[in-house]
Amino acid sequence: LDNAASVPADLGWGGFDGIDWDLEGNDKISSEWNHFTVDCIDLVGTMSQAAKAAGYVVSLVPPQSYWDVTSSTFDLSLL
């Protein structure tokens, strides 16, 4: 992640040094993209750990549509 090469100077800021995960589903309820695979979750975790270990910022904010703070269950659905 090289901000000097990837962020145009006319934006007036240096960019974001890291990953800002924005994991969303699909408007079509029957879409296969409304469910994470375990491999996808594992990839997000592995990439996030590697980026943080290399000194980058990592943020992940789940969409309010499926974030249930009252539940400790593991759910791969984005619905």
Side-chain angles (χ1 to χ4, degrees), residues 23-28 31 33-36 63 65-66 78-79:
L23 308 173
E24 297 281 348
N26 189 301
D27 289 339
K28 184 177 176 186
S31 172
W33 304 113
N34 283 325
H35 293 88
F36 289 120
S65 60
Y66 67 87
L78 293 171
L79 301 174

Side-chain angles (χ1 to χ4, degrees), residues 6-71:
S6 64
V7 178
D10 62 342
L11 289 181
W13 69 291
F16 181 80
D17 273 335
I19 301 170
D20 180 18
W21 294 105
D22 186 13
L23 308 173
E24 297 281 348
N26 189 301
D27 289 339
K28 184 177 176 186
I29 299 292
S30 62
S31 172
E32 67 179 294
W33 304 113
N34 283 325
H35 293 88
F36 289 120
T37 63
V38 172
D39 287 341
C40 177
I41 297 295
D42 187 49
L43 179 62
V44 168
T46 300
M47 286 179 64
S48 297
Q49 289 174 351
K52 181 154 178 68
Y56 293 101
V57 175
V58 177
S59 67
L60 171 80
V61 178
Q64 294 175 352
S65 60
Y66 67 87
W67 186 31
D68 183 359
V69 298
T70 65
S71 175

